[in-house]
Amino acid sequence: MRRVAEIASYHAHVYFGDAQEAEAARSLRDAVADRFAVQLGRWHDEAIGPHDRGSYQIAFAPDLFAMLVPWLMLNHGRLSILVHPNSGQVRRDHVEDCLWIGPRLELIDDVLPEHEDPPEPPPVPNTRPTLDA
Ligand code: ZN
């Protein structure tokens, strides 16, 4: 069996297509920043990496999972969000060992390496939460 300790951190990737989804994704981003000590990644209007449309990344420590993921479940609206562990097995992490909030989307998985080297650095929170989740 694999051990949970293999998971160094998690990512939540929030996707958007048209302008309406982008606006919803923007408000969700602000609401996350107001409530959680996470590392918010850059906003990408274009497809990047394995993602086939606009997205941004929320990187977070394992101890936030039990609060942040249920909060995203309740607040994603119609957006699709990919939540995946960072265990060093990059392709598995994204494709096989992930979970989706909202409709599942296609990933361009052949751009993902099997293993990550060097490993994903731990998330450094860049938000200043002031609200309760
Ligand atoms: Zn990721």
Side-chain angles (χ1 to χ4, degrees), residues 7-67:
I7 301 175
S9 63
Y10 292 90
H11 287 169
H13 294 277
V14 179
Y15 295 95
F16 47 90
D18 59 19
Q20 198 181 346
E21 286 180 358
E23 194 183 318
R26 181 69 71 185
S27 350
L28 188 70
R29 182 182 171 92
D30 293 343
V32 167
D34 287 342
R35 289 165 178 80
F36 297 98
V38 296
Q39 182 180 322
L40 279 178
R42 276 200 299 276
W43 180 276
H44 297 285
D45 277 316
E46 307 297 328
I48 183 170
H51 314 296
D52 74 344
R53 64 197 69 198
S55 69
Y56 61 87
Q57 171 183 289
I58 305 167
F60 58 100
D63 64 356
L64 266 188
F65 186 96
M67 280 298 281

Side-chain angles (χ1 to χ4, degrees), residues 11-13 51 57 82 84 86 94 120:
H11 287 169
H13 294 277
H51 314 296
Q57 171 183 289
L82 166 67
H84 71 79
N86 290 309
H94 285 78
E120 175 86 7

